[in-house]
Amino acid sequence: FRTRQPLLTGNVSERKDFNPEIDRETGYHTESMMTVPVKRMDGDPIGVMQMLNARVAFNTRDLEVLEILCNQAATGIEHIRLTQEVRRSEIVHVIGDISHDIKNMLTPIVTGVRMLEPMLDEYFAGVDRLAERCPEPETWGQEMRSLAESVRHDYVWLLDNMVTSAEQVRNRTREIADAVKGEIAPPLFEETDFNELCRTVLAPLKIVAEHGQVRLLSDLDPLLPPVECDRKQMINALYNLVNNAIPFTPPGGSVVLRTRIPESGAEAIVCEVQDTGTGMPEHVRRRLFTDEAVSTTVGGTGLGTRYVGKVIQRHHGLITVRSELGVGSVFTLTIPLRHTGGPG
């Protein structure tokens, strides 16, 4: 491979670089050998082909035939590589177009939501002004306020969550396009208020939980120390866990996002996502966070839990799961306070 030259060896045991240990460990007795580099058209090697132990001694003609075979193999491999690059280029362009289209489609949504907030502000101010004109003993003013009250206290955070979610979709789509092009940004580890990060996760999921009649709760330790983490990746990981828990929790149940300091005194924090849902069978639990993860929901892919596993791995953390059918599940994340470096 290094010399890029073919080699014909009649008796391998006579070579100084022969390692007899391989024969002893494999039980295979090597006698003769032909070694030929598999090279691209530009001469760079991509591999080596060897033939061992000819019934009739190898000769230079055999070596020439093997060189021809290696050239054909290299041509085939190169053709496949070029075909894959062309296909990848096509996919990159398609993903880029989709990303651009999504960005364009989200723009009127974000713009409309931002215009809606001042319009609603003015609307409720008008309701208050009109209600103040209600003469005694008539009650229509109070009735107007009561009708508006159901929306007044929720529209601000609902609109904010719409804008935030739209921006997240836009950013994630851009990340997909970059990943297809091979432009994957490394994790950015910075000191983070983990409790504030948890509140960021819970805010957009509040409406999802309310729609399913599930109580979405937080139990955040106020003494939790700052954590060095990639904020964006950690938000996405926790969002996956909480968002997955909600549909498996029946109406009247709860999902709790909890933070605490580990009892062991380790330089870490503990984050738990606990639900009172349906639980999961053992064969599903064992495969979580692996490439064999499966989804138990219709249309699910299992990609969410795999993503969570990779994020925790990059942070040199640990994730465990306790689950009991009909009772619920607890996902426990242990994350070091300081990032120790390395790929994770």
Side-chain angles (χ1 to χ4, degrees), residues 20-212:
E21 284 299 320
I22 296 177
D23 276 9
R24 280 194 285 269
E25 290 179 8
T26 62
Y28 184 86
H29 180 60
T30 309
E31 297 175 354
S32 58
M33 179 187 299
M34 282 196 302
T35 308
V36 175
V38 180
K39 299 186 293 185
R40 296 190 180 97
M41 289 184 290
D42 59 8
D44 288 336
I46 58 176
V48 171
M49 187 180 295
Q50 285 188 316
M51 297 189 71
L52 308 176
N53 294 3
R55 292 182 180 179
V56 179
F58 290 129
N59 55 41
T60 55
R61 183 171 177 79
D62 295 327
L63 195 63
E64 291 171 355
V65 172
L66 187 58
E67 285 185 87
I68 294 172
L69 290 175
C70 286
N71 288 337
Q72 291 177 333
T75 300
I77 294 170
E78 189 72 1
H79 174 73
I80 292 172
R81 184 183 67 82
L82 291 174
T83 301
Q84 290 174 336
E85 286 187 0
V86 170
R87 178 60 176 158
R88 179 182 172 188
S89 178
E90 293 173 351
I91 294 173
V92 168
H93 283 98
V94 171
I95 295 294
D97 291 342
I98 293 173
S99 177
H100 186 264
D101 289 344
I102 291 176
K103 177 182 177 181
N104 287 342
M105 288 184 283
L106 287 173
T107 298
I109 297 175
V110 174
T111 303
V113 169
R114 285 174 174 160
M115 291 176 60
L116 190 58
E117 185 170 349
M119 292 170 63
L120 287 171
D121 288 342
E122 180 59 30
Y123 168 76
F124 288 117
V127 169
D128 289 339
R129 287 194 299 268
L130 190 58
E132 288 172 1
R133 298 176 188 172
C134 178
E136 296 289 348
E138 296 184 35
T139 61
W140 56 265
Q142 184 57 41
E143 290 172 1
M144 287 178 60
R145 282 198 175 101
S146 297
L147 287 172
E149 207 65 24
S150 60
V151 178
R152 186 197 297 268
H153 293 298
D154 290 332
Y155 78 92
V156 174
W157 73 264
L158 283 172
L159 296 179
D160 286 344
N161 285 337
M162 289 179 191
V163 173
T164 300
S165 297
E167 292 294 342
Q168 289 175 339
V169 170
R170 189 180 319 197
N171 293 336
R172 294 297 280 169
T173 306
R174 188 182 302 117
E175 288 176 15
I176 292 172
D178 291 342
V180 174
K181 291 186 291 186
E183 300 173 2
I184 302 175
L188 175 62
F189 292 93
E190 53 188 350
E191 194 169 272
T192 302
D193 180 342
F194 205 86
N195 284 342
E196 186 273 330
L197 183 149
C198 289
R199 285 188 283 268
T200 300
V201 169
L202 293 175
L205 290 172
K206 180 181 177 182
I207 189 171
V208 179
E210 288 183 354
H211 180 72

